[in-house]
């Protein structure tokens, strides 16, 4: 949930920058994209710099836990950078959607084990609530990369110029 709090704060800061005149941040999708990119690069770097924080989150049956932590950190950094490069944006969004689904089992493991991880709350509820936010992460990656428009889907205009109703 700390990741989602970071997304929220970074999105608001980006929106404020747009409001103050940063033209590239005048659209909500651009603010969300920058927030996700920055959050992913920060937490990805944290995976590389403080891997011991993430090791308890890796299930014991997975070999080479240190490598898994490092690779997930690199995936997060690459995904964040990809969101910032227009020609890679959609591919990065798709890859991040898959990534957020792929790490879901680790989040289930955390909830079931009731882990005590440095830098995260030491209560079981935190990990259970975090599971509910996982679909938001998938949606955020797909939306801010332009792969989906929901909930902003625009209906095509009819011959009379009004939106079609279904």
């Amino acid at each position: 949930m700390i990741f989602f709090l970071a997304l929220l704060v970074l999105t608001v800061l980006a929106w404020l920058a747009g409001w103050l005149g940063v033209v590239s941040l005048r659209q909500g999708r651009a603010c969300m994209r920058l927030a996700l990119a920055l959050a992913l690069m920060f937490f990805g770097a944290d995976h590389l710099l403080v891997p011991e924080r993430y090791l308890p989150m890796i299930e014991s049956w997975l070999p080479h836990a240190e490598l898994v932590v490092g690779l997930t950190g690199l995936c997060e950094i690459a995904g964040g950078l990809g969101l910032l490069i227009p020609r890679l944006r959609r591919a990065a969004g798709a890859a991040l959607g898959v990534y957020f689904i792929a790490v879901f089992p680790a989040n289930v493991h955390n909830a079931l084990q009731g882990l005590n991880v440095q830098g995260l709350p030491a209560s079981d509820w935190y990990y259970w609530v975090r599971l509910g936010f996982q679909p938001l992460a998938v949606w955020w990656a797909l939306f801010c990369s332009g792969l989906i428009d929901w909930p902003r889907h625009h209906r095509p205009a009819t011959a009379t110029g009004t939106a079609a109703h279904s």
Side-chain angles (χ1 to χ4, degrees), residues 102-165:
V103 299
F104 186 73
N107 291 334
V108 170
H109 168 75
N110 294 341
L112 292 172
Q113 298 303 314
L115 300 177
N116 186 5
V117 177
Q118 174 194 355
L120 296 178
S123 53
D124 293 342
W125 68 264
Y126 172 82
Y127 296 102
W128 287 106
V129 171
R130 190 170 134 176
L131 290 175
F133 282 91
Q134 205 72 28
L136 176 62
V138 175
W139 172 81
W140 197 295
L142 299 177
F143 180 78
C144 77
S145 65
L147 288 171
I148 61 172
D149 278 334
W150 184 84
R152 295 180 22 179
H153 179 70
H154 299 286
R155 296 177 185 207
T158 63
T160 62
T162 59
H165 298 286

Side-chain angles (χ1 to χ4, degrees), residues 3 32-45 48 72-93 95-96 100 144-145:
F3 178 77
M32 292 171 65
R33 182 173 41 249
L34 179 61
L36 181 57
L38 292 175
L40 285 167
M41 289 186 285
F42 173 82
F43 287 102
L48 300 175
T72 57
L74 291 174
C75 287
E76 291 180 6
I77 293 168
L81 290 172
L83 288 174
L84 299 177
I85 301 170
R87 66 183 176 85
L88 299 177
R89 184 169 296 148
R90 292 172 67 86
L96 287 168
F100 287 132
C144 77
S145 65

